[in-house]
Amino acid sequence: MSSMTLFILFVSIIALLFLFINLIFAPHNPYQEKYSIFECGFHSFLGQNRTQFGVKFFIFALVYLLLDLEILLTFPFAVSEYVNNIYGLIILLGFITIITIGFVYELGKSALKIDSRQVITMTRFNYSSTIEYLGKI
Amino acid sequence: MYYSIIISLIEVVLVLVPALLGIAYVTIAERKTMASMQRRLGPNFVGYYGLLQAFADALKLLLKEYVAPTQANIILFFLGPVITLIFSLLGYAVIPYGPSLAINDFSLGIYYILAVSSLATYGILLAGWSANSKYAFLGSLRSTAQLISYELVLSSAILLVIMLTGSLNLSVNIESQRAIWNIFPLLPVFIIFFIGSVAETNRAPFDLAEAESELVSGFMTEHAAVVFVFFFLAEYGSIVLMCILTSILFLGGYLSINSLDVFNFFYSILFNIGFIDLNFFNIFYYFYKEIFVNNSIIEGLIYGLTIGLKSSILIFLFIWVRASFPRIRFDQLMAFCWTVLLPLLFALIVLLPCILYSYNILPVNVL
């Protein structure tokens, strides 16, 4: 058994060991108030959870998938730079150009912008500061 | 056959136990450092100078009552933190503490670290979703969006380093910095990588997952007792791992200034001004070389201490950043990643290989 396999096993065993120590040795006396989910100031009730969420998060994940794939596909060029000299470089530049055009399109469509109520009120006073510029994009 | 298993078991324990102890002491170091920056004492009761505080906390949390909400998915609720902890500790397997001195110094070490650190996101997503609380759900959504966005920044910064060194092996990356540390040619990338690693570990100016004033405690609102310890250990484990990785990629890892070079420098100066007797100095030089330079134990110690010192300085920087800057808003955080850091990095990805090609300094991959 190689040390790598043993390392993965060892880390998993440590984590599970801690979990079982806690489950065995800790006191456990539940009542209804303790085991309802957290709510501030009043009782929690059913049906308020697992609601819809902003589609922005999903779009971020989609764009992440594309761009991360692009970066990971560029790694082999970085490793074999010396071998495929100008040939690889031109292909890399073309590849990055195509991806960048798509990325600029996403930015222009403001697909990666999260709306904030604070920015709308703040930009009335002053357009110069960098932070507000970031918020506007 | 059993002999080799025992050897690898000893290797694993020798890497993992100091890593866990280091993580425990980073928590105390953070509390003490922040206390000094805010003119308080910090923990100073348990043990001498508060040194046993982390163990007292861990023991307390191990013996606390676990709370599993009735509406939660119990299996995923406990599986999420376990996954987070496991994947944040797995990265230590490929860290070289000396020349090729890792558990497995294999040729795709950087890919391995990237893969393992991105798998830790699953734990956060599972834990936040399975708790069935709206605060935990919103916290996990935010945290996941932040982690995957800044992972792009990290992996493209690493790509730029690989373009200079030409290998995915961490030891080769360090050895190719014998001429000059990567921080000098790649200073902007170092700064971007540092910002990315602060955001990737959910640290203070970017700790929007657990912004106490909006979301109670982010994705770990419902988690108590040992499950909370898992998140805590995972966070600090990934901080230490990120700092070690930064010091490997940019600050030369275990490479320190060669003491013989310093010695020769002063020797030549003193000799040229006729200050020193050559015979006496040669004897001194000989003994110095025999004791400190040709001794493999001392050489190994210096390697280990060097990488420890460099990553400790970076960890201090993390804590300093936490004590200094206020938290920014979530839309600012995402806009900073997607419209500032990523276009900058794409420009550098185009620029750097063009410079390398036009000056004919493309790196040769020897392995």
Side-chain angles (χ1 to χ4, degrees), chain B residues 84-364:
Chain B
T84 317
L85 178 67
I86 288 175
F87 284 119
S88 76
L89 285 181
L90 275 188
Y92 286 95
V94 287
I95 299 292
Y97 296 98
S100 186
L101 186 69
I103 282 187
N104 192 357
D105 189 43
F106 69 118
S107 54
L108 294 177
I110 288 177
Y111 260 180
Y112 174 80
I113 283 190
L114 278 179
V116 158
S117 69
S118 53
L119 277 175
T121 314
Y122 275 111
I124 288 171
L125 198 60
L126 282 182
W129 181 79
S130 64
N132 207 348
S133 151
K134 57 182 172 191
Y135 299 101
F137 183 58
L138 286 176
S140 80
L141 274 183
R142 278 189 177 196
S143 188
T144 311
Q146 175 186 345
L147 286 182
I148 61 177
S149 304
Y150 277 89
E151 202 186 294
L152 282 178
V153 173
L154 283 192
S155 48
S156 39
I158 286 175
L159 172 65
L160 288 167
V161 176
I162 302 302
M163 279 178 179
L164 273 194
T165 58
S167 173
L168 287 169
N169 186 332
L170 284 167
S171 287
V172 175
N173 267 294
I174 294 174
E175 289 298 330
S176 68
Q177 297 178 49
R178 284 222 184 251
I180 187 167
W181 292 356
N182 273 340
I183 187 175
F184 295 110
L186 293 178
L187 183 65
V189 183
F190 173 73
I191 296 169
I192 292 173
F193 189 85
F194 183 74
I195 294 172
S197 57
V198 170
E200 180 75 11
T201 51
N202 271 329
R203 291 289 293 176
F206 307 125
D207 60 343
L208 289 138
E210 39 190 303
E212 293 93 357
S213 44
E214 309 156 27
L215 306 162
V216 183
S217 183
F219 54 87
M220 44 180 157
T221 303
E222 304 289 341
H223 294 263
V226 83
V227 196
F228 173 73
V229 173
F230 287 168
F231 279 128
F232 199 67
L233 274 183
E235 186 188 335
Y236 283 87
S238 57
I239 287 171
V240 176
L241 189 69
M242 274 298 161
C243 290
I244 294 176
L245 193 63
T246 317
S247 65
I248 283 174
L249 290 177
F250 291 98
L251 299 175
Y254 51 75
L255 301 178
S256 54
I257 298 167
N258 190 354
S259 61
L260 268 186
D261 287 349
V262 182
F263 209 84
N264 282 333
F265 178 71
F266 287 111
Y267 174 72
S268 59
I269 288 179
L270 292 176
F271 182 71
N272 282 337
I273 60 176
F275 183 72
I276 209 157
D277 183 18
L278 194 61
N279 283 328
F280 167 73
F281 206 78
N282 274 342
I283 293 167
F284 188 61
Y285 188 85
Y286 176 76
F287 278 112
Y288 178 80
K289 212 170 160 181
E290 280 305 303
I291 294 171
F292 289 110
V293 181
N294 291 342
N295 190 335
S296 55
I297 295 176
I298 290 193
E299 194 189 5
L301 269 181
I302 288 176
Y303 279 145
L305 285 178
T306 312
I307 191 169
L309 186 69
K310 283 170 185 169
S311 26
S312 306
I313 291 171
L314 285 169
I315 291 170
F316 174 73
L317 213 58
F318 266 63
I319 300 168
W320 193 7
V321 163
R322 177 175 177 187
S324 305
F325 294 115
R327 182 182 298 134
I328 63 173
R329 249 180 14 233
F330 188 68
D331 61 311
Q332 287 172 349
L333 175 86
M334 299 310 268
F336 183 60
C337 174
W338 289 97
T339 61
V340 178
L341 292 184
L342 269 182
L344 212 57
L345 279 167
F346 280 0
L348 280 169
I349 287 174
V350 173
L351 178 69
L352 193 72
C354 293
I355 288 178
L356 288 180
Y357 176 75
S358 49
Y359 285 91
N360 206 2
I361 45 174
L362 290 169
V364 183

Side-chain angles (χ1 to χ4, degrees), chain A:
Chain A
M1 198 187 300
S2 72
S3 344
M4 196 67 187
T5 326
L6 214 61
F7 189 82
I8 295 172
L9 273 181
F10 206 78
V11 169
S12 324
I13 288 172
I14 281 184
L16 291 177
L17 190 74
F18 278 160
L19 189 63
F20 283 112
I21 284 177
N22 186 241
L23 293 188
I24 292 167
F25 289 106
H28 186 59
N29 36 8
Y31 51 89
Q32 208 247 324
E33 196 62 26
K34 187 190 278 176
Y35 271 32
S36 59
I37 54 173
F38 177 84
E39 186 52 76
C40 182
F42 51 91
H43 293 290
S44 62
F45 47 89
L46 271 171
Q48 62 171 356
N49 313 310
R50 303 246 165 102
T51 50
Q52 65 271 44
F53 60 94
V55 75
K56 290 290 174 198
F57 293 107
F58 186 69
I59 292 175
F60 275 125
L62 275 182
V63 178
Y64 157 78
L65 207 63
L66 199 69
L67 289 181
D68 203 37
L69 203 64
E70 178 230 332
I71 290 166
L72 288 183
L73 286 179
T74 317
F75 267 86
F77 167 72
V79 176
S80 65
E81 265 169 329
Y82 188 78
V83 184
N84 38 24
N85 214 308
I86 185 72
Y87 175 70
L89 182 63
I90 287 173
I91 290 178
L92 170 80
L93 291 182
F95 183 57
I96 287 184
T97 312
I98 294 169
I99 294 285
T100 308
I101 289 169
F103 185 58
V104 168
Y105 178 72
E106 284 152 13
L107 283 184
K109 280 288 214 181
S110 66
L112 299 173
K113 182 193 170 205
I114 294 182
D115 296 315
S116 169
R117 219 171 289 156
Q118 272 169 309
V119 171
I120 297 166
T121 52
M122 275 172 74
T123 41
R124 279 184 200 148
F125 303 115
N126 163 7
Y127 283 93
S128 61
S129 147
T130 322
I131 306 242
E132 283 146 26
Y133 171 72
L134 294 183
K136 266 186 70 186
I137 295 171

